[in-house]
Amino acid sequence: MAVGPAPFSEIGKRAKDLLTKDYNFDHKFVFSSSNDSGLGLTATGIKVNEQFLGDISTQYRSGKTLVDVKVDTNSNISTTISVDELLAGAKTKLSFKLPDQKSGKLDVQYFHRLVAFNSSIGLTPTPLLEFAAAIGSRELSVGAEIGFDSASASLTKYNAGIGFNKHDFSAALVLTDKGETLKASYIHVLNPVNGVAVAAEMVRKFNTYENSFAIGSSHNLDPLTTIKTCFNNSGKSAVLCQHQWRPKSFITVSAEFDPKAASAPSRFGLALALKP
C-alpha cells in the first residue's frame, strides 16, 4: 500500500485518543480468540446502569477477504465483508444488518502516495452518500468530507481540516458541524522512553459563542502500566490506569469526578480485555 496522507478521519486523532480513548465508566468485558486458519471469535459484554448489553462476532479471513458476522442481545445480525487490494491501493467493504433491509452500505477506501479518500453509499433507492479526501503527505495533510442525503436532496455534513504530524508532536485544526464548530488540538510527546505526553483541545462554537477546552496527559509507570489524566473547563476530571497483565490482555480502571453532577458526582468503570 502506498505511503501517503492518512484518511481525513485521522486528522486530530492522536490528541483525541489521549484525551478520550479507553476511558470507560461502566463495566465492560471483551474476550477474543483466533487461530492459524484465519477463524476468530470476539465476545463483548457491557453493563450500563442495570442493563446488560453484549454481542458475539466471528471473523474469517481467507487471503485478502475478511468476513465478520456479529449478533447482539437484540437479535440483530450484522455482516461485513472486506476485500483488501481489490485494486492497487484500494479496500472495499460491504456491510448490512438483519432484519433492517435498508442498512446495506458499500465503502471504498483508496490510498495513494499523495491522496487518501473514503467513499460510502447506502444500498437503497434513495441512498446516503458520503465522501472524504485528504491530500498531502504523512507529515502535512489537508482534507474535507461531505455527506449528501438523496432522499431530501440536502447536505448532511461538510467538514474540513488540516493536520501536521511529526513523531513527537501533532497539531490539527478542524472545522465541523457544517462550519459551526472549530476544533484546535495539539499533542506533544515529552519523553518517548516513559511515554510522557500531554494533549489539549480547544473548541469554539460560532452559533452559541461558547468556548471549551480539555487537557490531558499520559505516562507509563512501567512497560506494562499506563496512567492517563484529563481535565476540562467545566471542572470535570478523570483518571485511568491500564495494565497489560499478559500479552494483548488488559485491565483498565477509570474514575471521573464531575462537581456539577449533584446526584452522582463520581463515576467508576472497569474494563477487562482477554486474548489467549
Side-chain angles (χ1 to χ4, degrees):
M1 183 173 292
V3 177
F8 173 78
S9 59
E10 298 286 322
I11 295 179
K13 186 176 183 296
R14 287 177 63 184
K16 195 70 175 179
D17 282 350
L18 189 148
L19 294 171
T20 62
K21 187 178 180 180
D22 294 325
Y23 282 99
N24 171 66
F25 304 108
D26 300 300
H27 296 87
K28 184 177 182 180
F29 174 80
V30 178
F31 174 82
S32 59
S33 178
S34 60
N35 57 31
D36 295 335
S37 64
L39 185 65
L41 173 70
T42 302
T44 302
I46 183 170
K47 183 181 179 184
V48 182
N49 297 324
E50 298 301 321
Q51 185 179 12
F52 179 82
L53 304 173
D55 59 65
I56 296 177
S57 64
T58 58
Q59 305 89 31
Y60 178 71
R61 177 177 289 278
S62 177
K64 297 180 179 180
T65 303
L66 174 66
V67 180
D68 188 316
V69 180
K70 179 186 295 184
V71 181
D72 63 23
T73 50
N74 294 321
S75 299
N76 294 314
I77 302 175
S78 304
T79 303
T80 303
I81 303 172
S82 304
V83 181
D84 292 331
E85 297 289 328
L86 186 62
L87 298 174
K91 180 178 181 180
T92 305
K93 182 186 298 183
L94 172 66
S95 60
F96 54 91
K97 181 183 294 185
L98 298 175
D100 186 358
Q101 299 180 358
K102 297 182 179 181
S103 63
K105 186 172 65 170
L106 178 65
D107 297 282
V108 177
Q109 296 178 324
Y110 177 75
F111 299 94
H112 186 264
R113 185 171 57 87
L114 296 175
V115 65
F117 77 77
N118 303 62
S119 63
S120 173
I121 179 172
L123 302 180
T124 65
T126 53
L128 177 66
L129 308 173
E130 295 183 347
F131 180 82
I135 60 174
S137 64
R138 279 290 177 182
E139 291 187 352
L140 178 64
S141 62
V142 179
E145 65 176 352
I146 189 172
F148 179 76
D149 186 354
S150 61
S152 60
S154 61
L155 293 176
T156 59
K157 64 179 178 181
Y158 43 89
N159 307 317
I162 180 171
F164 185 71
N165 292 284
K166 288 288 189 179
H167 71 280
D168 58 342
F169 74 90
S170 175
L173 194 64
V174 181
L175 190 64
T176 65
D177 298 332
K178 298 181 179 180
E180 295 183 353
T181 303
L182 181 65
K183 297 181 179 181
S185 61
Y186 180 79
I187 181 172
H188 197 115
V189 180
L190 302 176
N191 188 335
V193 177
N194 296 328
V196 178
V198 293
E201 181 183 62
M202 296 188 66
V203 179
R204 168 69 173 179
K205 292 185 177 295
F206 298 114
N207 56 340
T208 60
Y209 305 102
E210 295 180 12
N211 296 314
S212 61
F213 70 85
I215 57 175
S217 66
S218 177
H219 175 68
N220 295 336
L221 294 181
D222 57 55
L224 302 177
T225 307
T226 300
I227 297 291
K228 292 173 61 176
T229 61
C230 185
F231 176 82
N232 66 23
N233 61 290
S234 65
K236 185 183 296 185
S237 57
V239 62
L240 172 152
C241 179
Q242 184 176 78
H243 178 70
Q244 183 178 199
W245 55 282
R246 57 176 295 168
K248 299 182 180 180
S249 295
F250 298 87
I251 182 170
T252 306
V253 179
S254 306
E256 180 187 69
F257 178 75
D258 184 359
K260 296 183 179 181
S263 59
S266 299
R267 295 195 300 165
F268 299 92
L270 175 66
L272 183 63
L274 303 176
K275 187 169 185 179

